């Protein structure tokens, strides 16, 4: 009995030894090599019209906008300032702003789409799935309470905070001179009249002498019709000569109907000359030559 038990035990030991040898000769699987993470960037560029909240290649922008399923994350720059994800919504080739305000007309809108990719192909699995590059999208949650149906400025409803805008403080100092030369061409349109004082013109009680328009002759010697003496235009002047002597303007009052002298101390037959000057044709031309320096300091 003892001999049989030992023989059976030896066979089991041999079987275990052969299995151990087969396991020992199996090839070890090579350790998976490390893979390099690559970054792919796609850009879209557009300009705001100051009214619409939607942007995309179909609205005149340059570049393209991948769908969120193909992108790890987005970076949106409005007027060079990066915006938080809650202020916009992305779709295939579409960008929709969710902010209260709209970028001013001409403001640049730049959307950067970033995708993270593994450089090596994945090992084929037992199900014989096709080798593919692994993509690692990063989910970006956007609150639905901020979404609006309107595309245009003025119909906002409940909106998230305003766009982040760049802030710059600018101060300018202007120094220098401006040289101005003015040329004036004076045009004196003068009309002259003469008359002789008669006794009925002199009013000793009122202390005045009134010469009617019909008593004057013009430079050509023609009598002046009643009420046809020229009026003194704004900016014009007149001169009155009594017996060849220039009189003070306060002593004379010309009008279309005649000339009134503030004196009765005058003899009949005394010559009176009236000259009316009109400067309406005078012109002036100014030429300025600036020599200025503007120094502007901008700080952010």
């Amino acid at each position: 009995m003892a001999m049989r038990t030992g023989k059976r035990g030896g066979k089991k030991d041999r079987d275990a030894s052969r299995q151990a040898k087969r396991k020992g000769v199996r090839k070890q699987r090579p350790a998976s090599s490390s893979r390099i993470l690559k970054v792919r960037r796609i850009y879209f560029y557009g300009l705001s019209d100051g009214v619409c909240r939607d942007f995309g290649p179909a609205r005149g922008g340059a570049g393209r906008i991948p769908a969120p399923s193909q992108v790890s994350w987005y970076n949106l720059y409005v007027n060079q300032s990066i915006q938080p994800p809650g202020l916009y919504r992305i779709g295939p080739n579409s960008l929709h702003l969710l902010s209260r305000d709209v970028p001013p007309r001409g403001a640049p809108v730049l959307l950067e789409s970033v995708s993270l990719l593994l450089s090596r192909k994945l090992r084929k699995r037992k199900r014989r799935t096709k080798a593919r590059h692994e993509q690692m999208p990063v989910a970006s949650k956007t609150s639905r309470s901020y979404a609006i149906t309107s595309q245009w400025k003025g119909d906002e409803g409940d909106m998230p905070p305003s766009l982040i805008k760049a802030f710059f403080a600018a101060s300018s100092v202007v120094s220098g001179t401006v040289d101005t030369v003015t040329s004036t061409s004076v045009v004196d349109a003068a009309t002259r009249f003469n008359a002789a004082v008669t006794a009925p013109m002199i009013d000793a009680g009122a202390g005045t002498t009134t010469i009617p328009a019909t008593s004057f002759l013009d430079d050509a010697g023609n009598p002046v019709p009643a009420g046809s003496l020229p009026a003194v235009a704004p900016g014009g002047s007149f001169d009155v000569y009594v017996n060849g002597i220039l009189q003070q303007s306060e002593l004379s009052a010309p009008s279309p109907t005649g000339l009134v002298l503030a004196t009765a101390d005058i003899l009949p037959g005394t010559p009176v000359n009236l000259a009316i000057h009109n400067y309406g044709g005078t012109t002036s031309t100014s030429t300025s030559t600036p020599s200025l320096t503007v120094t502007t300091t901008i700080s952010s």
Side-chain angles (χ1 to χ4, degrees), residues 123-169:
R123 187 175 60 253
K124 291 184 179 181
R125 301 182 182 274
K126 292 182 179 180
R127 295 181 181 180
R128 297 184 179 180
T129 57
K130 293 183 179 180
R132 59 182 176 84
H133 285 283
E134 183 180 6
Q135 185 171 336
M136 302 173 62
V138 178
S140 176
K141 296 181 180 180
T142 301
S143 175
R144 293 184 178 272
S145 64
Y146 289 157
I148 61 172
T149 58
S150 173
Q151 299 179 357
W152 310 103
K153 180 179 180 181
D155 185 15
E156 287 85 359
D158 295 332
M159 303 291 291
S162 301
L163 294 172
I164 298 175
K165 302 176 182 66
F167 175 80
F168 300 95

Coordinates of all heavy atoms in Angstrom, one line a residue, residues 123-169:
R123 N -3.9 49.6 -29.6 CA -3.7 48.2 -29.9 C -5.1 47.6 -30.3 O -6.1 47.9 -29.7 CB -3.1 47.5 -28.7 CG -2.7 46.1 -29.1 CD -2.0 45.4 -27.9 NE -2.9 45.4 -26.7 CZ -2.7 46.2 -25.6 NH1 -1.7 47.1 -25.7 NH2 -3.5 46.2 -24.6
K124 N -5.1 46.8 -31.3 CA -6.3 46.1 -31.7 C -6.8 45.2 -30.5 O -6.1 44.5 -29.9 CB -6.1 45.3 -32.9 CG -5.9 46.1 -34.2 CD -5.8 45.2 -35.4 CE -5.6 46.0 -36.6 NZ -5.5 45.2 -37.8
R125 N -8.1 45.3 -30.3 CA -8.7 44.4 -29.2 C -9.1 43.1 -29.8 O -9.1 42.9 -31.1 CB -9.8 45.2 -28.6 CG -9.4 46.5 -27.9 CD -10.5 47.2 -27.2 NE -10.1 48.5 -26.7 CZ -9.6 48.6 -25.5 NH1 -9.3 47.5 -24.7 NH2 -9.2 49.8 -25.0
K126 N -9.6 42.2 -29.0 CA -10.0 40.9 -29.5 C -11.2 40.9 -30.4 O -11.4 40.1 -31.3 CB -10.4 40.0 -28.3 CG -9.2 39.7 -27.4 CD -9.6 38.8 -26.3 CE -8.4 38.4 -25.4 NZ -8.8 37.5 -24.3
R127 N -12.0 42.0 -30.3 CA -13.2 42.1 -31.2 C -12.8 42.7 -32.6 O -13.7 42.9 -33.4 CB -14.2 43.0 -30.6 CG -14.8 42.4 -29.3 CD -15.9 43.4 -28.7 NE -16.4 42.8 -27.5 CZ -17.4 43.5 -26.8 NH1 -17.8 44.7 -27.2 NH2 -17.8 42.9 -25.7
R128 N -11.5 42.8 -32.8 CA -11.0 43.3 -34.1 C -11.6 44.7 -34.5 O -12.0 45.0 -35.6 CB -11.3 42.3 -35.2 CG -10.7 41.0 -35.1 CD -10.9 40.1 -36.2 NE -10.2 38.8 -36.1 CZ -10.3 37.8 -37.0 NH1 -11.1 38.0 -38.1 NH2 -9.7 36.7 -36.7
T129 N -11.6 45.6 -33.5 CA -12.1 46.9 -33.8 C -11.0 47.6 -34.5 O -9.8 47.4 -34.4 CB -12.4 47.7 -32.5 OG1 -11.2 47.6 -31.7 CG2 -13.5 47.0 -31.7
K130 N -11.4 48.5 -35.4 CA -10.4 49.3 -36.2 C -9.6 50.2 -35.4 O -10.0 50.8 -34.4 CB -11.2 50.1 -37.3 CG -11.9 49.3 -38.3 CD -12.5 50.2 -39.3 CE -13.2 49.4 -40.4 NZ -13.9 50.3 -41.4
A131 N -8.3 50.2 -35.7 CA -7.4 51.1 -35.0 C -7.8 52.6 -35.2 O -8.1 53.0 -36.3 CB -5.9 50.9 -35.5
R132 N -7.7 53.3 -34.2 CA -8.1 54.8 -34.3 C -7.3 55.6 -33.3 O -6.7 55.1 -32.4 CB -9.6 54.9 -33.9 CG -10.0 54.4 -32.5 CD -11.4 54.6 -32.2 NE -11.8 54.0 -30.9 CZ -11.6 54.7 -29.8 NH1 -11.2 55.9 -29.8 NH2 -11.9 54.1 -28.6
H133 N -7.3 56.9 -33.6 CA -6.6 57.8 -32.7 C -7.6 58.1 -31.5 O -8.8 58.4 -31.7 CB -6.2 59.1 -33.4 CG -5.0 58.9 -34.3 ND1 -3.8 58.8 -33.8 CD2 -5.0 58.8 -35.6 CE1 -2.9 58.7 -34.8 NE2 -3.6 58.7 -35.9
E134 N -7.1 58.1 -30.3 CA -7.9 58.4 -29.2 C -8.0 59.9 -29.0 O -7.0 60.6 -29.0 CB -7.3 57.7 -27.9 CG -8.2 57.9 -26.7 CD -7.6 57.3 -25.5 OE1 -6.4 56.8 -25.6 OE2 -8.2 57.3 -24.4
Q135 N -9.2 60.4 -28.8 CA -9.5 61.8 -28.6 C -10.0 62.0 -27.2 O -10.8 61.2 -26.7 CB -10.5 62.3 -29.6 CG -10.8 63.8 -29.6 CD -11.6 64.2 -30.7 OE1 -11.7 63.6 -31.8 NE2 -12.3 65.4 -30.6
M136 N -9.6 63.0 -26.6 CA -10.0 63.2 -25.2 C -10.8 64.5 -25.1 O -10.2 65.6 -24.8 CB -8.7 63.3 -24.3 CG -7.9 62.1 -24.4 SD -6.3 62.2 -23.6 CE -6.9 62.5 -21.9
P137 N -12.1 64.5 -25.4 CA -12.9 65.8 -25.3 C -13.1 66.2 -23.8 O -13.1 65.3 -23.0 CB -14.2 65.4 -26.0 CG -14.3 64.0 -25.8 CD -12.9 63.4 -25.8
V138 N -13.2 67.5 -23.6 CA -13.5 68.0 -22.3 C -14.8 68.6 -22.3 O -15.1 69.5 -23.1 CB -12.4 69.1 -21.9 CG1 -12.8 69.6 -20.5 CG2 -11.0 68.4 -21.9
A139 N -15.7 68.1 -21.5 CA -17.1 68.6 -21.5 C -17.1 70.0 -21.0 O -16.5 70.3 -20.0 CB -18.0 67.6 -20.7
S140 N -17.9 70.8 -21.6 CA -18.1 72.2 -21.1 C -19.6 72.4 -21.0 O -20.4 72.4 -21.9 CB -17.6 73.2 -22.2 OG -17.8 74.5 -21.7
K141 N -20.1 72.6 -19.7 CA -21.5 72.8 -19.4 C -21.9 74.2 -19.6 O -21.2 75.1 -19.1 CB -21.8 72.3 -18.0 CG -21.5 70.8 -17.8 CD -21.9 70.4 -16.4 CE -21.6 68.9 -16.2 NZ -22.0 68.5 -14.9
T142 N -23.0 74.4 -20.3 CA -23.6 75.8 -20.4 C -25.0 75.8 -19.8 O -25.8 74.9 -20.2 CB -23.6 76.2 -21.9 OG1 -22.3 76.1 -22.4 CG2 -24.2 77.6 -22.1
S143 N -25.2 76.7 -19.0 CA -26.5 76.8 -18.3 C -27.6 77.1 -19.4 O -27.5 78.0 -20.1 CB -26.5 77.9 -17.3 OG -27.8 78.1 -16.7
R144 N -28.7 76.3 -19.4 CA -29.7 76.5 -20.4 C -30.6 77.7 -20.0 O -31.3 78.2 -20.9 CB -30.7 75.2 -20.4 CG -30.0 74.0 -21.0 CD -30.9 72.9 -21.1 NE -30.3 71.7 -21.7 CZ -30.2 71.5 -23.0 NH1 -30.8 72.4 -23.8 NH2 -29.7 70.4 -23.5
S145 N -30.6 78.1 -18.8 CA -31.3 79.3 -18.4 C -30.8 80.6 -19.1 O -31.5 81.5 -19.1 CB -31.3 79.5 -16.9 OG -29.9 79.8 -16.5
Y146 N -29.6 80.5 -19.6 CA -29.1 81.7 -20.3 C -29.5 81.7 -21.8 O -29.2 82.7 -22.5 CB -27.5 81.7 -20.2 CG -27.0 82.0 -18.8 CD1 -25.8 81.6 -18.4 CD2 -27.8 82.7 -17.9 CE1 -25.3 81.9 -17.2 CE2 -27.3 83.0 -16.6 CZ -26.1 82.6 -16.3 OH -25.6 82.9 -15.0
A147 N -30.0 80.6 -22.3 CA -30.2 80.5 -23.7 C -31.3 81.5 -24.1 O -32.3 81.6 -23.4 CB -30.5 79.1 -24.1
I148 N -31.2 82.1 -25.3 CA -32.3 82.9 -25.8 C -32.5 82.5 -27.3 O -31.7 81.9 -27.9 CB -31.9 84.4 -25.8 CG1 -30.7 84.7 -26.6 CG2 -31.7 84.9 -24.4 CD1 -30.3 86.1 -26.8
T149 N -33.7 82.8 -27.8 CA -34.1 82.5 -29.2 C -33.8 83.6 -30.1 O -33.6 83.4 -31.3 CB -35.6 82.2 -29.2 OG1 -36.3 83.3 -28.8 CG2 -35.9 80.9 -28.4
S150 N -33.7 84.9 -29.6 CA -33.5 86.0 -30.5 C -32.0 86.1 -30.9 O -31.1 85.8 -30.1 CB -33.8 87.3 -29.8 OG -33.4 88.4 -30.5
Q151 N -31.8 86.4 -32.2 CA -30.4 86.6 -32.7 C -30.0 88.0 -32.6 O -28.8 88.3 -32.9 CB -30.4 86.1 -34.1 CG -30.7 84.6 -34.3 CD -30.6 84.2 -35.8 OE1 -30.4 85.1 -36.6 NE2 -30.9 83.0 -36.0
W152 N -30.9 89.0 -32.3 CA -30.6 90.4 -32.5 C -30.6 91.1 -31.2 O -31.2 90.8 -30.2 CB -31.6 91.0 -33.5 CG -31.8 90.2 -34.7 CD1 -32.8 89.3 -35.0 CD2 -30.9 90.1 -35.8 NE1 -32.6 88.7 -36.2 CE2 -31.5 89.1 -36.7 CE3 -29.7 90.6 -36.1 CZ2 -30.8 88.8 -37.9 CZ3 -29.1 90.3 -37.3 CH2 -29.6 89.4 -38.2
K153 N -29.9 92.3 -31.3 CA -29.8 93.2 -30.2 C -31.1 93.8 -29.9 O -31.8 94.2 -30.8 CB -28.7 94.2 -30.5 CG -28.5 95.2 -29.4 CD -27.4 96.2 -29.8 CE -27.1 97.2 -28.7 NZ -26.1 98.2 -29.2
G154 N -31.5 93.9 -28.6 CA -32.7 94.6 -28.2 C -33.8 93.6 -27.7 O -34.8 94.1 -27.1
D155 N -33.6 92.3 -27.9 CA -34.6 91.3 -27.4 C -33.8 90.3 -26.6 O -33.6 89.1 -27.1 CB -35.3 90.7 -28.6 CG -36.5 89.8 -28.1 OD1 -36.8 89.8 -26.9 OD2 -37.0 89.0 -28.9
E156 N -33.4 90.6 -25.4 CA -32.4 89.8 -24.7 C -33.1 88.8 -23.7 O -32.7 87.7 -23.6 CB -31.4 90.6 -23.9 CG -30.4 91.3 -24.8 CD -30.9 92.6 -25.4 OE1 -32.0 92.9 -25.1 OE2 -30.1 93.2 -26.1
G157 N -34.1 89.3 -23.0 CA -34.7 88.4 -21.9 C -33.7 88.2 -20.8 O -32.9 89.1 -20.5
D158 N -33.7 87.0 -20.2 CA -32.7 86.7 -19.1 C -31.4 86.4 -19.8 O -31.3 85.4 -20.5 CB -33.2 85.5 -18.3 CG -34.5 85.9 -17.5 OD1 -34.7 87.1 -17.2 OD2 -35.3 85.0 -17.2
M159 N -30.4 87.2 -19.4 CA -29.1 87.0 -20.1 C -28.0 86.9 -19.0 O -28.2 87.4 -17.9 CB -28.8 88.2 -21.0 CG -29.8 88.5 -22.0 SD -29.8 87.2 -23.3 CE -28.3 87.6 -24.0
P160 N -26.9 86.3 -19.3 CA -25.8 86.2 -18.4 C -25.1 87.6 -18.4 O -25.5 88.5 -19.1 CB -24.9 85.1 -19.0 CG -25.2 85.1 -20.4 CD -26.7 85.4 -20.5
P161 N -24.0 87.7 -17.6 CA -23.4 89.0 -17.5 C -22.8 89.5 -18.9 O -22.7 88.8 -19.8 CB -22.2 88.8 -16.5 CG -22.7 87.6 -15.8 CD -23.5 86.8 -16.7
S162 N -22.4 90.8 -18.9 CA -22.0 91.4 -20.2 C -20.6 90.8 -20.6 O -19.9 90.2 -19.8 CB -21.8 92.9 -20.0 OG -23.0 93.5 -19.6
L163 N -20.3 91.0 -21.8 CA -19.0 90.6 -22.3 C -17.8 91.2 -21.6 O -17.9 92.4 -21.1 CB -18.8 90.9 -23.8 CG -19.8 90.2 -24.8 CD1 -19.7 90.8 -26.2 CD2 -19.5 88.7 -24.8
I164 N -16.8 90.5 -21.4 CA -15.5 91.1 -20.8 C -14.9 91.9 -21.9 O -14.6 91.5 -23.0 CB -14.6 90.0 -20.3 CG1 -15.3 89.2 -19.2 CG2 -13.3 90.6 -19.8 CD1 -14.5 88.0 -18.7
K165 N -14.5 93.2 -21.5 CA -14.0 94.1 -22.5 C -12.6 94.5 -22.0 O -12.3 94.6 -20.8 CB -14.9 95.3 -22.7 CG -16.3 95.0 -23.2 CD -17.2 96.2 -23.2 CE -18.6 95.8 -23.6 NZ -19.3 95.0 -22.6
A166 N -11.7 94.8 -23.0 CA -10.4 95.3 -22.7 C -10.5 96.7 -22.2 O -11.3 97.5 -22.7 CB -9.5 95.3 -23.9
F167 N -9.7 97.0 -21.2 CA -9.7 98.4 -20.6 C -8.4 99.0 -20.8 O -7.3 98.4 -20.4 CB -10.1 98.3 -19.1 CG -10.0 99.7 -18.4 CD1 -11.0 100.6 -18.5 CD2 -8.9 100.0 -17.7 CE1 -10.9 101.8 -17.9 CE2 -8.8 101.3 -17.1 CZ -9.8 102.2 -17.2
F168 N -8.4 100.2 -21.3 CA -7.1 101.0 -21.5 C -7.4 102.4 -21.1 O -8.4 103.0 -21.4 CB -6.7 100.9 -23.0 CG -6.4 99.6 -23.5 CD1 -7.4 98.9 -24.2 CD2 -5.2 99.0 -23.3 CE1 -7.1 97.6 -24.7 CE2 -4.9 97.7 -23.8 CZ -5.9 97.0 -24.5
A169 N -6.4 103.0 -20.4 CA -6.5 104.4 -20.0 C -5.4 105.1 -20.9 O -4.3 104.8 -20.9 CB -6.2 104.6 -18.6

